[in-house]
Amino acid sequence: MAAIVNRVTALVPKVALPVARYGQSKLSRFWYFARVELRPPMPSEFGEVQKGVQKIVKSASTGAWRQLTVKQFALNGLVGLEVMFWFYIGECIGRGSIIGYRPGRSEGIPAPYKYFM
Amino acid sequence: MATAVPRNVSPLIRAGRWGLLVTGLAYGYSHNKTLKKREERVRQGEIDRVTQHAIHELADQKIRADQSMVDLAQAAGVDPNGAKKSEDAKKSGSSSKHH
């Protein structure tokens, strides 16, 4: 046990820099895409948001959604599902646990596990 | 994928994502608070029930102990209510009955 701990503590300073650089490169690539694709809508874009909603409502009311190709319909469905999933991610963050509400049970369990069990 | 360029996602989708994220956050927080309140009441009820049970247990224990003392006195042939008098008599030096 002591040998393992010693080996880990000897390995950490050697490994830390490459791990940090790897993480940095991945993060910077993610940020390069996210700052365009995931940015929240600016007030100047609210008009387009309203137009998009009206387009959806009109397509639903006139039945134009039946004229879509199957591929386009499936893609739209996937995008809609992804947008729905953000609600559940927000719910997980708001209630403070990944799986289920835990109003009274998390007092006896130490820190990383109480957000899962 | 090194030549991939970020694409302009439509504002509707972005608004939907962020709006639903914030809504989910608020809903999760508020529902968690409601459940915590309910759980607190249930827990208080449980604590009261356990306390009452413990009190009753102690009372039963005392009753049984007293009853066993009375039974022992009767088995020894000593009158339990007169035990005090005979104790005083013992202390003053007279011999007890079952020797």
Side-chain angles (χ1 to χ4, degrees):
Chain A
M1 182 63 201
I4 295 176
V5 172
N6 286 341
R7 213 186 288 176
V8 169
T9 49
L11 217 54
V12 164
K14 243 191 342 165
V15 161
L17 194 56
V19 167
R21 271 189 285 139
Y22 175 80
Q24 168 66 27
S25 78
K26 292 295 179 191
L27 257 176
S28 73
R29 187 102 180 115
F30 173 75
W31 180 246
Y32 169 65
F33 285 102
R35 59 188 294 269
V36 176
E37 293 183 1
L38 286 181
R39 65 185 193 272
M42 292 293 128
S44 56
E45 293 167 330
F46 284 173
E48 287 183 46
V49 172
Q50 170 130 8
K51 270 196 290 213
V53 174
Q54 281 172 352
K55 199 158 74 96
I56 291 181
V57 170
K58 201 153 68 84
S59 149
S61 64
T62 64
W65 57 274
R66 283 173 289 183
Q67 310 302 327
L68 288 171
T69 67
V70 173
K71 178 174 174 183
Q72 195 56 42
F73 185 79
L75 288 175
N76 290 358
L78 279 179
V79 170
L81 272 181
E82 189 237 334
V83 170
M84 278 302 299
F85 291 161
W86 283 88
F87 173 79
Y88 295 107
I89 294 176
E91 191 184 353
C92 288
I93 299 176
R95 72 190 177 201
S97 91
I98 303 281
I99 303 174
Y101 291 88
R102 18 204 90 260
R105 206 184 316 158
S106 63
E107 280 121 30
I109 309 175
Y113 304 103
K114 72 175 174 181
Y115 300 115
F116 293 88
M117 290 164 43
Chain B
M1 294 294 280
T3 55
V5 178
R7 58 179 295 172
N8 285 321
V9 181
S10 101
L12 174 65
I13 296 179
R14 275 184 286 134
R17 280 181 185 152
W18 284 95
L20 280 180
L21 180 70
V22 169
T23 311
L25 217 97
Y27 171 72
Y29 180 72
S30 99
H31 196 46
N32 198 28
K33 214 150 62 111
T34 308
L35 289 180
K36 257 201 172 73
K37 278 216 185 83
R38 199 185 299 172
E39 183 71 20
E40 185 55 42
R41 259 188 283 133
V42 167
R43 189 175 163 76
Q44 196 54 44
E46 271 183 23
I47 290 177
D48 290 341
R49 206 158 30 89
V50 169
T51 319
Q52 286 301 313
H53 184 72
I55 291 176
H56 289 321
E57 273 295 311
L58 283 173
D60 285 342
Q61 209 173 334
K62 183 167 194 322
I63 289 174
R64 267 178 282 152
D66 291 344
Q67 183 60 43
S68 74
M69 284 303 283
V70 167
D71 290 342
L72 185 61
Q74 284 177 351
V78 175
D79 176 22
N81 290 335
K84 242 204 166 76
K85 284 191 246 159
S86 70
E87 237 179 53
D88 294 337
K90 252 196 274 184
K91 279 200 188 127
S92 65
S94 60
S95 59
S96 63
K97 258 197 215 168
H98 64 71
H99 267 328

